[in-house]
Amino acid sequence: MFDEKTYIEREGKLKDGYIRAAAMTPKIKVADCEYNIENIKALMIEAYKKDTAIAVFPEMCITGYTCNDLFLHDRLLDSALEGLVSIKHFSENVKGMISFVGLPYEMNGKLYNVVAGVMNGQILGMVPKMYLPNYGEFYERRQFTPGFNECVYVNVDGEEVPFGSELLFTFDNNRKVKIGVEICEDLWTPQPPSIKHAMNGATIIVNASASNETIGKDTYRKQLVSGQSARLVCGYVYSSAGGGESTQDIVFSAHNLICENGSTLAEAHKFADESVYADIDVERICSERRRMTTYAVDENSAYTEVQAHGLINKELKLIRYFDKAPFVPSDKKERDSRCEEILNIQSYGLKKRLEHTNCKNAVIGISGGLDSTLALLVTVRAFDMCGFDRSGIHCITMPCFGTTDRTYNNAVKLTKQLGCSLREINIMKAVRQHFEDIGHDENNHNVTYENGQARERTQILMDIANQTNGMVIGTGDMSELALGWATYNGDHMSMYGVNASVPKTLVRHLVQFYADTCGNEELSSVLNDVLDTPVSPELLPPKEDGTIAQKTEDLVGPYELHDFFMYHMLRFGAEPEKIFRIAKYAFAGEYDDKTIYKWLRTFTWRFFAQQFKRSCLPDGPKVGSVAVSPRGDLRMPSDACSHEWMKQLDRIKEINGYE
């Protein structure tokens, strides 16, 4: 039998790369180290109880940042060092959690603003601040000396501790977690130390800060932290000083932030001294860096890596938000902007192809479904951009065994409202003749019955394109291509596929956006009815009441699930176990675990089995960060084996007792 505990110990992967970090602002009193230490310890305990692996405290949190010339007094410096040693011993009580605390530290007669990394009863290393602000309200150079890159060793409480900026904190049980440190102003400079840290392998940057609050500064600060996390493809934990600091001239708001690759995972309410927690996905960070061939590595640095034992490495109950529709912005304003941009990309792509081929006619198989509707709307926009007459768009409706009155009527109305040419060609006779030629029983509604119709339609479209000196516009979308839900050399083929990188969940919003903004009430009404129609290839006869019998999502599964699976698998290389885990969070209350597993298994199997269809896709424009074109984002062998992926799915099945 499969033993989950053994698997966790052997692989260490059930946590899926998620590391919980905290940015914390303790209650302090200026120059009262004893008081401050007790409150830091209290927050360490709080963080530990929440399975935090990385706890970050503000700049100079042991003494307070606003001590000014008191930093020149031995009494304060000695007390700060005693406080650090006290935290060091206390860290034995929170094993597996690394804490970063700020303090003043004297070495060779010079004073440095440093952050110490403390874990498991050890001071692992100390990092000095490189850039000392000496302008406006800041005058750190009055007391402190700028830090240096190379590591030296200092004796603290009988231990030899590495001291320098070029220092990374690593862990014996999680090789993907590497932590680099910078301090406040370091980030605000043209060349922050975090750049070198990341180029030397740091996947998480921590920043102990004392950034005061002025009008509008919070917006810039957030952009700075988020932007640096995007630029460096890393997690960024920013802890800032709060209300305990002196307000003699400036005020601190404890604006704590945790970001990952451009996204803000957690943000504190200002002036609340609020601790924030977030789960950073280190596997996702590493996957993104592998993908980016321009992500430079610094091969000339002499970084020192200190390794700690036993970073908290358990399967977390995640506090991270997972968007169930990753291709579709939840904010309407942003979504509308995205839709307009995508329609422009699709239309400009087709415009260029029409101009290049000197083609003023387009041929589209119009079914009354979502995909062909979007393709027609894009073609109309492209023709308008070119200044071509819309009558050159030849919409071909080809009713057969599965066509319903609803979809047929919508196809006709849509074509007329848009001012395109409409031609009806009933293919029943031709398909029946074909069945007779190949000896297929029409009552056998198998794949031959379905694909015979799809290929007949494509043959007609191609031949009409020859008649009109036109171009067949493909209608299939990216979700169908990922699943292989297309008839090879049928609807799979065209001369330009405008929907090739648009997922099904986004197709719906693009059509809705057009309906909402077209300014034509009758056209809008037709588009809304198309949106209400079940997705179907209409290749099987309708029900007795004339409604659609063949609903795609009943056969291959809900497209919102498949688009979620596709996004995380193709965009970040997520494994089935991880996708299953996060899908349960994203779709909690909508799909039970067994249903999610069923369709994830379907998606994975079909994705591998159907690559041969994607290997010979027609041209089409890329619109987003995920695409399946063999010339663009997905260079995958058609005979790649799915065994390793299915093996993980089998493990899920065995653990959960699914049939």
Side-chain angles (χ1 to χ4, degrees):
M1 287 292 290
F2 174 78
D3 185 86
E4 184 178 1
K5 181 174 183 295
T6 301
Y7 175 68
I8 293 172
E9 290 175 348
R10 186 180 72 249
E11 302 285 347
K13 290 188 61 104
L14 281 188
K15 61 176 184 54
D16 300 314
Y18 292 109
I19 293 294
R20 182 159 298 162
M24 317 187 84
T25 301
K27 186 176 182 181
I28 69 158
K29 292 180 181 179
V30 178
D32 190 342
C33 296
E34 186 175 347
Y35 178 86
N36 300 342
I37 290 298
E38 291 308 309
N39 286 310
I40 291 170
K41 290 177 180 178
L43 288 182
M44 289 171 68
I45 289 292
E46 175 193 304
Y48 183 72
K49 287 180 178 178
K50 294 183 178 181
D51 295 325
T52 302
I54 304 166
V56 185
F57 295 89
E59 182 178 10
M60 297 288 186
C61 61
I62 289 179
T63 58
Y65 176 78
T66 49
C67 291
N68 295 330
D69 282 354
L70 292 178
F71 284 127
L72 302 175
H73 289 245
D74 283 337
R75 180 75 297 270
L76 184 63
L77 299 180
D78 291 345
S79 182
L81 190 56
E82 290 166 8
L84 176 61
V85 172
S86 177
I87 290 173
K88 162 191 157 178
H89 294 300
F90 182 79
S91 68
E92 287 274 16
N93 300 308
V94 289
K95 281 188 183 271
M97 182 177 82
I98 184 168
S99 300
F100 292 93
V101 294
L103 72 155
Y105 182 78
E106 183 183 9
M107 185 184 74
N108 295 334
K110 295 296 182 182
L111 195 58
Y112 296 90
N113 179 342
V114 306
V115 166
V118 183
M119 182 178 175
N120 298 345
Q122 282 185 290
I123 302 170
L124 300 177
M126 299 170 71
V127 178
K129 187 172 185 176
M130 300 294 289
Y131 298 96
L132 304 181
N134 222 52
Y135 58 89
E137 61 268 43
F138 300 103
Y139 43 89
E140 285 187 32
R141 282 181 179 266
R142 179 181 173 91
Q143 297 99 16
F144 294 96
T145 297
F148 45 85
N149 289 324
E150 67 281 0
C151 275
V152 298
Y153 285 82
V154 295
N155 189 289
V156 181
D157 194 36
E159 289 184 80
E160 292 297 306
V161 177
F163 184 111
S165 176
E166 294 186 348
L167 180 64
L168 295 181
F169 297 84
T170 65
F171 307 91
D172 61 358
N173 64 331
N174 199 320
R175 62 186 177 84
K176 292 183 178 180
V177 178
K178 289 189 177 183
I179 303 173
V181 178
E182 59 187 5
I183 304 172
C184 197
E185 183 76 10
D186 289 345
L187 174 61
W188 301 66
T189 63
Q191 198 167 12
S194 52
I195 296 176
K196 285 200 303 180
H197 297 341
M199 290 173 65
N200 281 274
T203 50
I204 296 175
I205 304 296
V206 303
N207 187 319
S209 178
S211 178
N212 66 310
E213 210 56 62
T214 55
I215 296 172
K217 190 174 182 180
D218 60 332
T219 301
Y220 181 65
R221 184 188 299 116
K222 182 177 178 180
Q223 291 173 345
L224 199 61
V225 174
S226 175
Q228 193 71 344
S229 76
R231 181 186 185 192
L232 301 183
V233 189
C234 69
Y236 202 109
V237 187
Y238 184 93
S239 174
S240 193
E245 295 288 352
S246 172
T247 58
Q248 181 175 344
D249 292 300
I250 51 180
V251 172
F252 299 84
S253 68
H255 188 199
N256 296 328
L257 295 157
I258 304 178
C259 297
E260 176 192 299
N261 198 13
S263 298
T264 301
L265 303 182
E267 180 178 10
H269 294 94
K270 292 189 303 174
F271 304 106
D273 288 1
E274 178 186 10
S275 297
V276 294
Y277 297 83
D279 298 331
I280 296 173
D281 189 346
V282 184
E283 282 188 359
R284 181 170 172 171
I285 289 166
C286 292
S287 171
E288 187 76 348
R289 289 184 178 183
R290 284 197 304 269
R291 189 181 66 86
M292 294 174 62
T293 57
T294 54
Y295 196 95
V297 176
D298 187 352
E299 297 177 348
N300 298 315
S301 293
Y303 261 69
T304 298
E305 293 191 4
V306 292
Q307 188 175 90
H309 171 69
L311 184 72
I312 289 176
N313 197 32
K314 61 173 67 174
E315 183 170 359
L316 300 168
K317 184 176 181 181
L318 298 175
I319 55 175
R320 185 184 175 110
Y321 171 71
F322 296 98
D323 192 342
K324 67 178 183 180
F327 291 107
V328 183
S330 56
D331 177 75
K332 186 179 186 305
K333 184 177 179 181
E334 183 183 353
R335 184 169 63 246
D336 287 351
S337 175
R338 179 80 57 85
C339 287
E340 178 65 28
E341 185 177 14
I342 290 170
L343 287 169
N344 279 333
I345 292 171
Q346 292 177 279
S347 303
Y348 273 95
L350 179 56
K351 172 180 179 286
K352 170 62 179 177
R353 183 54 54 92
L354 292 169
E355 291 175 340
H356 176 71
T357 56
N358 196 28
C359 178
K360 296 185 179 180
N361 290 279
V363 180
I364 301 178
I366 187 78
S367 67
L370 271 174
D371 288 344
S372 64
T373 296
L374 177 59
L376 177 56
L377 297 176
V378 168
T379 305
V380 165
R381 285 172 66 114
F383 265 57
D384 291 350
M385 290 174 182
C386 291
F388 295 165
D389 192 323
R390 291 186 185 182
S391 63
I393 303 173
H394 303 271
C395 297
I396 316 298
T397 177
M398 295 168 281
C400 197
F401 309 124
T403 305
T404 62
D405 290 342
R406 181 180 186 181
T407 53
Y408 172 80
N409 289 331
N410 279 338
V412 173
K413 291 176 186 176
L414 184 63
T415 304
K416 290 181 177 178
Q417 284 296 320
L418 290 169
C420 305
S421 301
L422 178 65
R423 185 172 175 184
E424 179 180 331
I425 300 174
N426 192 304
I427 65 170
M428 284 190 190
K429 184 177 178 182
V431 171
R432 283 185 169 130
Q433 179 63 53
H434 178 61
F435 287 166
E436 183 179 333
D437 291 343
I438 66 173
H440 180 76
D441 183 356
E442 184 182 328
N443 295 312
N444 182 0
H445 296 171
N446 63 2
V447 67
T448 304
Y449 178 87
E450 295 185 32
N451 287 349
Q453 298 171 68
R455 291 196 179 98
E456 178 62 27
R457 286 172 173 154
T458 301
Q459 173 182 251
I460 288 171
L461 295 175
M462 291 289 180
D463 290 343
I464 291 177
N466 292 154
Q467 281 183 336
T468 60
N469 193 29
M471 177 184 300
V472 176
I473 308 302
T475 62
D477 63 58
M478 183 167 63
S479 304
E480 293 176 341
L481 293 170
L483 289 162
W485 191 250
T487 299
Y488 191 79
N489 208 32
D491 53 299
H492 156 263
M493 192 47 58
S494 67
M495 295 169 182
Y496 197 76
V498 293
N499 297 341
S501 65
V502 183
K504 185 75 78 176
T505 49
L506 194 52
V507 169
R508 178 170 295 279
H509 288 279
L510 289 166
V511 174
Q512 185 67 67
F513 172 75
Y514 203 103
D516 294 342
T517 59
C518 66
N520 181 328
E521 193 171 321
E522 291 186 34
L523 175 59
S524 180
S525 177
V526 178
L527 292 175
N528 279 305
D529 196 59
V530 170
L531 286 161
D532 288 339
T533 305
V535 177
S536 172
E538 292 195 324
L539 297 173
L540 295 179
K543 296 178 181 178
E544 291 182 4
D545 62 1
T547 59
I548 292 172
Q550 186 185 26
K551 297 179 181 178
T552 298
E553 291 183 296
D554 290 345
L555 301 171
V556 296
Y559 274 114
E560 62 179 342
L561 283 178
H562 288 311
D563 282 0
F564 184 89
F565 302 154
M566 173 172 61
Y567 178 81
H568 288 280
M569 180 177 180
L570 295 187
R571 182 67 180 83
F572 300 110
E575 300 178 346
E577 284 175 333
K578 183 171 187 174
I579 295 173
F580 178 63
R581 180 183 179 192
I582 63 178
K584 290 191 293 182
Y585 282 92
F587 294 97
E590 296 184 47
Y591 297 99
D592 60 37
D593 295 358
K594 191 172 182 180
T595 300
I596 293 171
Y597 171 78
K598 171 187 174 182
W599 296 122
L600 176 57
R601 191 176 187 95
T602 297
F603 175 85
T604 305
W605 180 83
R606 290 191 66 96
F607 178 78
F608 277 89
Q610 301 293 302
Q611 171 62 20
F612 71 97
K613 294 179 182 177
R614 299 187 293 270
S615 290
C616 54
L617 282 181
D619 291 354
K622 177 180 177 177
V623 304
S625 59
V626 176
V628 294
S629 167
R631 297 169 298 278
D633 288 54
L634 188 63
R635 291 165 179 80
M636 174 178 166
S638 297
D639 43 11
C641 184
S642 64
H643 174 72
E644 291 299 327
W645 285 260
M646 299 306 290
K647 191 164 65 173
Q648 275 202 0
L649 287 162
D650 288 341
R651 244 182 337 242
I652 296 171
K653 179 179 179 181
E654 189 173 345
I655 289 171
N656 293 282
Y658 298 149
E659 295 179 1

